[in-house]
Each structure stands twice: as C-alpha cells, then as structure tokens.
Amino acid sequence: MVREEVSKMGTGRWHCYVMCGEWLCKGCGKWEFQVDHVTKSRIVPVFEGMNLLEMKETVSSEFGVYTQMTLSYWSPESLKFVTGVKTPPVMVTTEVGLDLFLKIAVKNDSMNLFVTFEEPKDNLNRISDERSGGTGWSDEIPTGGASIRLDDEDLLANVLLVEQRKDRKRGPIGDDTPEDSIGGDDYVRPAGYDQDFWNNFLEEDLGGTDAVDVMCSGGESGVFIQDGVGKAGIQAGWSDPLVQAPAETRDLIDIDDEEFDIPPLFDDTEYETEPIPDLDREDDDEVYRGKILAVEKRESGYYEIKKAHLEHTCSTETRQKYMKKATAKVIAAIYKGKFGEPVKGPKAMDMQQLVLEELRVSTSYLKCWRAREKAVEEVHGGDLDAFSKLEEYLHLLKLANPGTITDIVTDTSEAGKERFVYMFLAFGASITGFRKLRRVLVVDGTHLRGTYKGVLLTASGQDANFQVFPLAFAVVDSENDASWTWFFQKVERIIADSPSLTIISDRHRSIYSAKERVFPKAYHGACIVHLERNITARFKNKGLGRMVRNAGCEYKVSSFNKIYKEIKSRNNECAVYLHNIGMAHWTRAYFQGERYNLMKSNIAESLNKALKEGRASPIVELLEFIRAMLTRWFSARRKKSQKHKGLVPPYVDKVMLKTMFRMSGSKIGTVTDWSYEIVGQFGEKHHVHLNEKKCTCKSYDKLKIPCGHAMMAANHIGVPYASLVGDCYKPATWAATYEGVVNPPKDEDGVEMPVSFKNRLILPPHTRRPTGRPRELRIPSIGEFKSSRSDNSNKSYGEASWGRACNCGRSTIKLKAWTDDNPGRRFYKCDVHGFVSWVDVEKQCSWQKMSLLEARDEIRRLKSLIQTTSSGVNKEEDNQNLEAGNQKIEEEKKKLEGEKVKLEGEKVKLEAEKKKIEDLKKRLEDEAKVSKEREKLLRQFIGISWGGFIVAIAIIITILK
C-alpha cells in the first residue's frame, strides 16, 4: 500500500498495489501466489468508504479485463495463528471483508491486494478480439474455421422468418400437423455446434473427419447460414489460426462405432459357466404343463410375452421336494464366483440373505456357512492343500523378490511323515529399506483364526514419516520360549546384535528369555501402555496408571522424580513394583539406548489390525494377503516420498510446527556463536547447543527432532530448521527406504520346480481350531477395560437398550418414539430393516397422548432456549477473550518494540567499543613496527661497533709488532 500526501490525493485517499494471478496450495500445505506474467500488476487508487462494487470496477478498468474476479489478501498476522505458514489467504467477498482490508491497510503500508480473473463460462458465441487490438469480446462464431458475424437485427429477422414459416406449415388454428414435419427448402441449418461438448471428440476420436460439416450442414460439405438477404455458402475449411488443421478428411459414415468409444446399450459379455450339480429331475413321469410364449424384440435382449398359461399342475408332493435341491453344494457352485478374494467374500449371514433375495429360497445359517466353506475350498483349495503348497509358494516368491529370506521347520514322526512347525518370511525390499530406519525393532504376536491354531509373530520398525514398516513375519504354534528364540535367531541374520539396537515389546516372559539369548547386547524397552494397564488392573486405580504413563514419558530425570514421588506417596506398593521392574526398562529418562519417540508398541498393534482380515485364511492365502498389502504400501509410499518437496517429511513437519507454537512469549540470550539460553514465559531456563544438537530439556537429545528452544535459537541466527533434524528424518532417507519393490510370485508354469518339492508332503500341525464360532474380537489384555456399548445413531428416539432379535437374525435395539402418533411408545429397531415390532402393545389413551406431546414440545422449547442462551453467552465470552487477546498482543508488541530499541542502543555501544578496540589495535601495531625498527638499528650498531673494536685491536697489535 503506497500512501500519498493529503495535498496530492485528498483526505483518506491512497494508492494500492494490485497483483494478478492465482493462489496455489502446495503438497506441504503452504500457500503461494503465482503471478500472471501477462497481466502482471497495477496501481489502483483507493479511498475510505469505498464499496466492493467500486473496487471491482476500478480494478477491472485498470487491468482492462471485464470478467468475474476474486479479490484476496494475505493477513500480516498469519504467523500468529495456529496454522502459521499454512494459513490460507483471506477472500474479499463482502463489504465487511473490504472494510476490514482497508482498516488493516491503513495501519500496514506493506499490504497488497491480489486479484484472480475467472475465464468466461460461455465461449460459444464469443472469441477474443485481441488480434484486432480490442479488449472486449466479439460475437463471431467459429464455424468450420471461417468467422461469420451475426448482427442482432439479422438474427431477429431470421427468428421471425422461421416462426412465420412454422405457422404456415401448421396451418389454421386447430390443425394437428406436428412441428417436426417442417422441412424442404425452408429448413434453416444450424450455424454452429456445442463446442463445450464436442471439442474433446473433435480433438481426439473424430480428428481428421468431417464431423463439423455433418453437424452444421446436415451431412453436406460446407456450412450454410441463411440470413434475411440470401444464402451464403462457406466451405468447411480450417482457416482459423486457433483451430489446428487436420491431416485428412473422412466421412462420418465411414467411421466405426469403436472409434467413438461409446459403450454399448446392452452388455453382451459372455462368461464361462459350469453346470450346477444336483439339479436333474428324478421323476420324468410327471411333466409341468405350464406354457409361456415369448418373442425377442429386435435383438435387444428383451422379450415380449405373447401367451402365458400360469396354472400349476404339479402336485403338493412334488412341490415339497423343491427345497431339497438347495443344498450347500449347489449354493457353493452358484456363488463361488464371489470368493475370488476369500477375505472380501460374503459372510454366511450375507449369503443367507442373497439366497433369499435372488433364489427365493429360505436356508439356514449353518447351510450357508457350509456352502461358504465349500466355495472357498473349491476356488483356493483347503487347509490341507495349503501346507503342501507352502514350499512351492515361498520358492516362487523368492524368485520374484531377490534377497528374500524364507524358512520352514517341520517335525518328522516315526512313520516318516513331516508336520508343519514354524515358517519365516522377510522380503528383500523390507530388509534393504530397514537399513535406512532408526534401529528400533518392535515385536509382537497375534493369534490366527484359521482352521488350525497358530500365532503370527511380527517384527517392524518406523520410517521417517512415522509410518509402520514391516520387516519379518513368522507363523508358529504358540508364544513360548522355543518359538520366540527361533524367530529372533532368524531376525538376527538380518539385524546384527549391537548396543545401537533397541527392541520394544510387551512384558511377555518368552520375549525376555529369547532376547537375552539372541540379542544380549541390544537394549530392551517395555511398552508403556501395557505397563499402564497392568498397574490399573493390579492396584485398581486408573489415575495411578495415568501417572505411571506420564512419568515414563518424561524426558528429564528431575521431572520424572517429581511424578515418581507423587506415585510413591499415593501407593508405596506400586512404587516398589515399578522399582523391581527396573527404571531403565520402562522410563525414557533412564533408558540407556535410543528409543526416539517409540514408547509403546503401537506400530505392532496397528500392523496386527491391518492383518485382521487375512488371519482367518489358510497359510498360503495369509502370506499372499501380506504380500499384496506390502506391495500396496511400498508403491503408495514410494510415490508420496518422491513427490514430496518439503525439507522434512510431513509428519515431522507437524511435530516441529506444534512444538514451535509452544514457545510463544519466550526470550533468547546469546552465550556463544552456537550456544543460546532460552527463558520461557514462566521463567524456566534452557541451554541449547546447536552444533551438538542438544538441549537441557532433553527432548532434542532423545527424539533427534529440534525442540522449541532449538528452533527459536536457529531462527535467531538464520539457520534453517531442516538442518537441525537428524539424518534418519531426511526426505532423501525416506525416499531411499522404499526404493525396493515387493513383486508378486512368479507364475509356476514358466518355472521348473525342484524334484524335492514334488516328493515332499507337509502335513498341517496337530493343533486344530475348536468347534463353534471363532472369535472375531481379541481377548482384552490385563488392565484393558471394554467401553460400554451404546447407540447414539438416532438421538431423537431417546436412550437405547438391547432387545429381541430381528427376523434376519440380527440383534435389535429398544428405542422410544416421539412422533405425534406414538409419543413415548417403545419399539424394536434393526440396523438394516429398521422398525421390527412394538414393545408397548397398547397405545396411549387420549389424555396420556396429549400430556406426552405437551411435555415433548415444552422440552424442545426449553432445549432451544438453552442452546440460544448458551450460544449468546459463548459469543460474549469469545468477544471478551478476543479483546483480551488483542490487548495482550498489543502489550507484547510494545514490549518487543522497547526491547528492539534497547538492542539497537546496545548495538551502537558495541560498535563504538569495537571501533575503539580497532584503533587501539592499530596503535599497538604501529608501536610494534617502531620497536622492531629500533631493535634492528641497535643490532646493526652493535655489529658495527664490534667490528670496529676488532679492527682497532688488530691495528694496535700490528703497530706494537
């Protein structure tokens, strides 16, 4: 904003700098204004009291563009908002917005206004006449490349002429001659076509054809427009420089339908079908005599019924045999096409509904369950076949993914039969990518829900963007010392044991035993969430568990000791229990290794949840589910990391942004060039060493992400925040993590399998899933309380409670209706079918109904009154808080200005002292030069004196002789 003197522009008038372009939001969330290099910018006069219409007219006249526009500006207080640099621009759409902009502009001379011109939506009859030097729009219509001008008077004359001819064709009033019969020489061909719709076809599929001529001239070559004088014929050339000339011209009739890419009216795709078993008639003596005669209508796929004899002649004994054909085998044969992916196939309850809706047959849940099992077995094979194909699948997987490590352990019986015991899998891409991560390994186990019992062990890490990175998987019989030791031995081949390695897990005894055997040098940390639940269950106190969690997550020893003393004062037994576990095992402050931000095994729990759908499948299908999931994850994250343009990954940027806003109101003092002292709002002091990437708050030391104190010091000396982040959080490291590719297994048709695979038969383990419905939800761990189940989906019905079952088998909820017909009457509701039945069979009498309705209306009125009152109170409180905040901001601003003046004075003093020191230094240098010259002359004099003395003595001796 450029302000002028009153004598030049008058009172309350100034100039505004307006830039033309558009706002763009980058992938990191930051907004950037891209300037239009054609229209550039203008200086626009502005005055107080100017309305939005006047502002737009002024901007349009300055730029010479008369289209719809959007005005906006960037708030100078954006960095004080929560969103910071990601604060979006403010759009000026009302008088209030313009008034606020003018008020801010008066106080801030650097305010600019941004304008974005929108392109006109209807360009059918208008083209830019920039070629003729104009600034507006003309009414020329591009027709086959030639420009024809239609004046308004000629157009109206044509319309009247057409209407008169239509009236003559219709005849007198009351004649039923249709309007579509108009034709002959009086037919007026269209002058143009719908360019918005047809341009895409003309540029791609219909390029090089005479489609424009067909549309505009009825199939003839050339475009004709009839005006009031006569007919002017114009050949359909391509003389317009804005339209690209085609290479050749073809008739529209010669173009095949496939070139239009228009989908057929009816789907004529044919699918392979197999005969459905058990549907042959057993009694051929009795024939159904019902007859239906239908004729197909013009090869459309629809049939018209001509005759129908719908009288049933089958006996009741024959009709009773209908349902017997709907066996589990038949249902499996019909619906096995839906189980290409067994995880996403319909459940038994869904199949029961499908059979009822599509086949009109009522079946039991157990029959549908057996049909589902048969369908999955026919498509993918059974569990017995899965273990025999396991070795071949792993071999094909290793051929497609170099560097992949697999292993199978079997137990051979006395009869020479091999039974499955353990299986290990680690993809080559995961092994390569894990070397770029922080050396923190999170391990956990989850139960499988297939036919045979088992446990899936997982080992995973966390990438630079704080996402789960799976490393290794194993299928074992159970979580015991032998299985965990074998799993850690396989993982140790990938990650060597060293003090730089940290293992995070729950407090399972077998994990502790296996870790001490295989990884004795690595540090072991307990999950703080599992410890919190154990404390809550053991001491029956949720508040105590939260205190333990807060103490474990503290960075400083002093902060931990403060919370630990409070725990000890509340429950001494809990303090003894925690002390026996070992402070270095569950606290961040005393932990000797590097845990970074991983205080809990949440990434392992998240991985188990992602694998929930595949854990019920056979072992080969489970591994294929894991492979497909990793393929998707690696592909998506590879693209995301390569497209990322920020200096740090997105989640690290969020952490730094959140930390930065906590430091508002702090002061900074310089100790050395790379060392600073930060004084917080409440007087706490912290010492930051930027060159060592350390801070006395210990957050920078533990996380390797700059804390708020370090960011404040870096901002003071102009060092970018990204240079302070650890190498494990760099975007290059993030992208290198997902350079590997997880490929699907190779096709076994093109691979020669070893002979040992064909002769080897692996039987499933002895353990088998017990009878009954398998558990869908896991068993809650110790100290984990299940939340109460409630339904708030429809609060207008009141509080819900569980009721009888619906006819479909689903459970229902008991609700209360508050409609005008049934106020306060309870009923059962199904999530799928809605209303089931009434709980209260009898309706209310008249006076009860009236009383309930009055009470309902009164309650609603009071609720609305309370909401209105609370909203008004909230608005007042918000206004008061806003005023108080503005006052604080002004006070802080004044303080900062005073400190700025003081710093400038100190700067002047330091410059003066610096000048004095330089003068003194110069004087000392001059004195040193003079002293050096004197010393040099003295040495020369002494040398000459000694020489003369020696010569004199020699002369005397010579004379004496």
Side-chain angles (χ1 to χ4, degrees):
M1 189 72 67
V2 183
R3 200 168 310 184
E4 297 289 342
E5 298 180 359
V6 178
S7 59
K8 293 182 180 180
M9 299 297 297
T11 305
R13 298 179 66 88
W14 60 89
H15 282 134
C16 179
Y17 187 73
V18 184
M19 288 187 287
C20 180
E22 60 178 349
W23 289 98
L24 298 176
C25 183
K26 295 185 177 180
C28 59
K30 298 181 180 179
W31 288 87
E32 182 181 15
F33 188 79
Q34 185 175 0
V35 181
D36 190 350
H37 298 289
V38 178
T39 54
K40 299 179 182 178
S41 60
R42 303 287 192 275
I43 301 296
V44 177
V46 181
F47 56 89
E48 293 183 0
M50 190 176 192
N51 56 30
L52 185 59
L53 181 59
E54 293 174 347
M55 173 64 80
K56 289 185 176 181
E57 290 178 352
T58 305
V59 173
S60 297
S61 61
E62 287 292 337
F63 282 92
V65 181
Y66 300 92
T67 60
Q68 294 291 335
M69 71 176 68
T70 303
L71 301 176
S72 59
Y73 65 93
W74 183 269
S75 177
E77 306 293 335
S78 298
L79 295 179
K80 295 184 179 180
F81 298 155
V82 177
T83 51
V85 294
K86 299 181 181 179
T87 303
V90 182
M91 313 305 292
V92 181
T93 56
T94 60
E95 301 292 342
V96 178
L98 181 61
D99 186 40
L100 180 59
F101 167 75
L102 296 177
K103 289 182 180 179
I104 298 176
V106 171
K107 298 179 182 179
N108 195 340
D109 296 341
S110 61
M111 281 289 292
N112 297 326
L113 188 65
F114 303 97
V115 60
T116 302
F117 293 103
E118 299 179 2
E119 296 182 0
K121 297 181 179 180
D122 186 11
N123 291 333
L124 179 60
N125 297 328
R126 300 184 300 175
I127 61 174
S128 177
D129 59 350
E130 293 180 357
R131 290 170 292 179
S132 60
T135 59
W137 296 84
S138 67
D139 55 357
E140 294 179 358
I141 305 176
T143 310
S147 300
I148 303 172
R149 185 174 182 84
L150 296 179
D151 295 330
D152 294 340
E153 296 180 358
D154 297 340
L155 182 61
L156 292 176
N158 288 333
V159 172
L160 293 176
L161 181 61
V162 172
E163 291 295 334
Q164 292 174 3
R165 289 171 177 171
K166 283 185 178 181
D167 293 338
R168 289 199 299 270
K169 288 290 183 180
R170 292 193 188 103
I173 299 175
D175 190 4
D176 297 332
T177 304
E179 296 181 4
D180 296 343
S181 61
I182 300 175
D185 298 334
D186 296 333
Y187 175 72
V188 180
R189 296 186 177 92
Y193 57 93
D194 190 349
Q195 295 183 358
D196 294 337
F197 176 79
W198 286 102
N199 274 346
N200 295 330
F201 295 99
L202 294 177
E203 293 174 0
E204 298 175 0
D205 299 328
L206 302 183
T209 68
D210 59 346
V212 178
D213 305 337
V214 174
M215 289 186 289
C216 298
S217 62
E220 303 173 2
S221 61
V223 178
F224 296 89
I225 297 180
Q226 180 176 350
D227 55 10
V229 180
K231 297 183 179 179
I234 303 175
Q235 289 296 327
W238 299 84
S239 59
D240 197 332
L242 298 177
V243 182
Q244 184 178 0
E248 60 179 350
T249 302
R250 292 186 296 164
D251 292 337
L252 188 63
I253 302 175
D254 299 335
I255 300 176
D256 192 78
D257 290 342
E258 295 181 356
E259 298 186 33
F260 283 91
D261 196 18
I262 300 176
L265 182 61
F266 301 101
D267 189 4
D268 55 354
T269 306
E270 296 182 359
Y271 299 93
E272 296 182 0
T273 59
E274 296 182 2
I276 299 174
D278 298 340
L279 291 184
D280 297 333
R281 293 182 57 87
E282 297 177 358
D283 47 346
D284 297 334
D285 298 335
E286 185 178 2
V287 181
Y288 178 62
R289 301 184 181 277
K291 294 182 180 179
I292 296 177
L293 177 61
V295 179
E296 186 178 5
K297 301 295 291 183
R298 297 181 181 179
E299 300 181 356
S300 63
Y302 288 91
Y303 290 82
E304 180 183 0
I305 299 176
K306 298 292 186 179
K307 295 180 181 180
H309 183 72
L310 303 179
E311 182 180 354
H312 291 273
T313 59
C314 298
S315 62
T316 56
E317 296 178 358
T318 304
R319 297 182 187 182
Q320 288 180 352
K321 299 178 182 180
Y322 290 165
M323 299 300 178
K324 294 182 180 180
K325 297 297 181 181
T327 60
K329 188 176 180 180
V330 174
I331 296 174
I334 295 174
Y335 292 105
K336 69 178 181 180
K338 296 181 178 293
F339 293 95
E341 296 184 18
V343 175
K344 299 181 180 179
K347 303 292 184 182
M349 185 177 295
D350 300 329
M351 287 190 66
Q352 191 177 7
Q353 189 71 17
L354 282 173
V355 173
L356 180 61
E357 292 178 356
E358 297 182 3
L359 304 180
R360 299 294 188 268
V361 176
S362 178
T363 57
S364 63
Y365 175 85
L366 185 60
K367 182 183 291 186
C368 292
W369 183 85
R370 290 197 300 268
R372 186 183 185 279
E373 294 293 320
K374 288 180 180 294
V376 173
E377 185 175 355
E378 288 181 10
V379 176
H380 301 280
D383 292 312
L384 292 173
D385 298 334
F387 287 97
S388 61
K389 297 178 181 178
L390 178 60
E391 195 170 18
E392 296 181 1
Y393 175 80
L394 295 178
H395 179 69
L396 296 174
L397 206 60
K398 291 176 67 176
L399 292 177
N401 298 275
T404 301
I405 299 176
T406 62
D407 190 17
I408 300 176
V409 176
T410 58
D411 183 17
T412 306
S413 63
E414 296 179 357
K417 296 182 178 179
E418 289 186 276
R419 288 196 176 271
F420 175 84
V421 181
Y422 301 144
M423 189 282 307
F424 179 83
L425 172 62
F427 288 94
S430 299
I431 297 172
T432 306
F434 194 84
R435 297 168 185 168
K436 307 293 182 180
L437 306 184
R438 294 159 283 169
R439 291 180 59 82
V440 181
L441 192 67
V442 183
V443 296
D444 195 14
T446 180
H447 290 276
L448 300 177
R449 297 184 288 109
T451 303
Y452 298 93
K453 287 183 178 180
V455 175
L456 179 66
L457 305 181
T458 61
S460 54
Q462 194 178 64
D463 64 5
N465 197 35
F466 292 2
Q467 289 181 301
V468 183
F469 188 88
L471 174 63
F473 303 89
V475 177
V476 298
D477 53 352
S478 63
E479 288 192 80
N480 50 46
D481 293 353
S483 61
W484 273 111
T485 302
W486 178 82
F487 179 64
F488 277 166
Q489 288 174 351
K490 297 299 177 183
V491 175
E492 200 269 340
R493 295 176 55 188
I494 303 172
I495 308 174
D497 182 27
S498 66
S500 62
L501 178 64
T502 300
I503 299 176
I504 307 295
S505 69
D506 55 17
R507 298 177 60 241
H508 198 284
R509 294 180 180 178
S510 298
I511 299 177
Y512 279 66
S513 176
K515 185 266 172 190
E516 292 298 327
R517 294 178 184 176
V518 184
F519 292 101
K521 298 180 182 180
Y523 293 100
H524 191 195
C527 174
I528 193 66
V529 175
H530 287 84
L531 181 61
E532 177 190 1
R533 293 171 180 172
N534 293 339
I535 295 295
T536 303
R538 180 182 290 268
F539 300 101
K540 310 299 180 184
N541 191 336
K542 289 186 179 180
L544 197 62
R546 293 194 191 98
M547 291 179 65
V548 171
R549 183 173 183 174
N550 295 335
C553 294
E554 286 293 336
Y555 294 95
K556 298 176 65 175
V557 176
S558 58
S559 302
F560 166 78
N561 292 333
K562 184 178 180 181
I563 302 177
Y564 186 72
K565 287 180 181 179
E566 189 175 354
I567 295 172
K568 192 173 183 179
S569 62
R570 288 195 177 188
N571 194 319
N572 189 40
E573 295 181 1
C574 178
V576 174
Y577 175 77
L578 295 173
H579 182 75
N580 294 333
I581 294 175
M583 296 298 182
H585 188 60
W586 62 276
T587 63
R588 176 182 273 157
Y590 287 101
F591 191 76
Q592 299 176 359
E594 296 289 348
R595 291 188 66 157
Y596 298 93
N597 63 308
L598 298 171
M599 289 300 298
K600 50 189 177 181
S601 59
N602 188 40
I603 59 175
E605 299 294 342
S606 301
L607 181 60
N608 293 340
K609 186 176 181 181
L611 297 172
K612 179 182 178 182
E613 295 181 352
R615 285 188 280 136
S617 305
I619 185 168
V620 174
E621 293 298 327
L622 171 62
L623 298 181
E624 180 60 19
F625 182 87
I626 293 173
R627 196 278 311 162
M629 183 186 71
L630 291 185
T631 301
R632 294 193 308 270
W633 285 8
F634 270 70
S635 177
R637 295 175 185 178
R638 188 184 308 111
K639 292 179 182 178
K640 185 177 180 180
S641 60
Q642 291 175 355
K643 291 181 180 179
H644 183 65
K645 303 299 182 182
L647 299 178
V648 292
Y651 199 88
V652 178
D653 184 65
K654 290 182 181 179
V655 174
M656 295 174 62
L657 190 63
K658 187 177 180 180
T659 306
M660 182 175 62
F661 282 109
R662 295 176 183 172
M663 301 307 300
S664 59
S666 301
K667 299 179 181 179
I668 184 171
T670 304
V671 180
T672 62
D673 292 340
W674 293 96
S675 180
Y676 297 89
E677 183 183 19
I678 310 298
V679 181
Q681 232 176 353
F682 301 100
E684 65 276 8
K685 297 181 180 180
H686 295 282
H687 193 189
V688 182
H689 300 275
L690 294 180
N691 55 343
E692 299 177 3
K693 295 184 178 180
K694 291 183 179 181
C695 181
T696 54
C697 71
K698 298 299 180 181
S699 174
Y700 196 5
D701 305 31
K702 302 289 184 180
L703 300 181
K704 308 304 179 186
I705 298 176
C707 59
H709 314 107
M711 295 173 69
M712 193 172 180
N715 190 32
H716 180 70
I717 61 176
V719 175
Y721 299 148
S723 62
L724 305 178
V725 179
D727 294 336
C728 55
Y729 298 111
K730 299 291 185 180
T733 306
W734 183 32
T737 305
Y738 296 100
E739 287 181 351
V741 180
V742 180
N743 296 309
K746 283 194 173 183
D747 190 4
E748 59 182 350
D749 295 338
V751 178
E752 293 183 4
M753 292 293 179
V755 181
S756 59
F757 290 178
K758 299 180 180 179
N759 300 330
R760 188 179 184 184
L761 178 63
I762 300 177
L763 299 176
H766 286 289
T767 57
R768 186 175 175 85
R769 187 181 67 191
T771 58
R773 185 191 297 271
R775 290 183 61 91
E776 293 288 339
L777 302 176
R778 64 180 179 85
I779 301 174
S781 59
I782 297 176
E784 184 179 3
F785 299 100
K786 191 176 181 180
S787 58
S788 60
R789 192 173 184 181
S790 59
D791 185 5
N792 297 324
S793 59
N794 197 340
K795 295 184 179 180
S796 61
Y797 291 122
E799 297 181 357
S801 60
W802 300 101
R804 51 158 286 187
C806 180
N807 296 329
C808 64
R810 294 180 175 85
S811 58
T812 62
I813 53 177
K814 190 188 299 181
L815 301 175
K816 187 179 291 184
W818 284 106
T819 60
D820 295 337
D821 296 333
N822 298 285
R825 192 178 180 186
R826 297 174 299 170
F827 66 96
Y828 295 113
K829 180 189 175 184
C830 176
D831 293 337
V832 178
H833 302 96
F835 176 82
V836 178
S837 62
W838 290 106
V839 178
D840 302 325
V841 181
E842 297 181 358
K843 285 188 175 182
Q844 305 92 340
C845 61
S846 59
W847 66 269
Q848 291 176 340
K849 187 175 181 179
M850 293 296 295
S851 300
L852 289 171
L853 290 175
E854 291 176 358
R856 182 200 66 181
D857 296 338
E858 183 64 19
I859 291 172
R860 289 179 179 177
R861 187 185 66 81
L862 293 175
K863 282 184 178 180
S864 62
L865 182 62
I866 291 171
Q867 291 177 357
T868 305
T869 306
S870 61
S871 63
V873 172
N874 292 334
K875 287 182 180 178
E876 292 180 359
E877 292 178 355
D878 293 341
N879 293 332
Q880 292 177 359
N881 294 333
L882 183 60
E883 292 178 358
N886 291 333
Q887 291 179 359
K888 289 182 180 180
I889 291 172
E890 292 295 333
E891 293 176 358
E892 292 292 335
K893 188 176 180 181
K894 291 180 180 179
K895 290 180 181 179
L896 291 174
E897 290 178 354
E899 292 178 358
K900 183 179 179 181
V901 173
K902 291 180 181 179
L903 291 174
E904 290 179 353
E906 293 177 358
K907 183 179 179 181
V908 173
K909 292 180 181 179
L910 290 174
E911 289 178 353
E913 292 178 357
K914 183 179 178 181
K915 189 174 181 181
K916 290 180 181 179
I917 292 172
E918 290 177 353
D919 296 339
L920 180 60
K921 183 180 178 181
K922 188 175 180 180
R923 191 187 309 163
L924 292 174
E925 289 177 353
D926 295 338
E927 292 179 357
K929 289 181 180 179
V930 173
S931 63
K932 286 182 180 180
E933 293 292 335
R934 290 178 180 176
E935 184 179 358
K936 185 177 180 181
L937 293 175
L938 182 61
R939 287 179 180 177
Q940 292 178 356
F941 177 76
I942 293 173
I944 295 171
S945 300
W946 275 103
F949 179 73
I950 293 171
V951 171
I953 292 175
I955 294 171
I956 294 171
I957 293 172
T958 304
I959 295 172
L960 292 175
K961 288 181 178 182

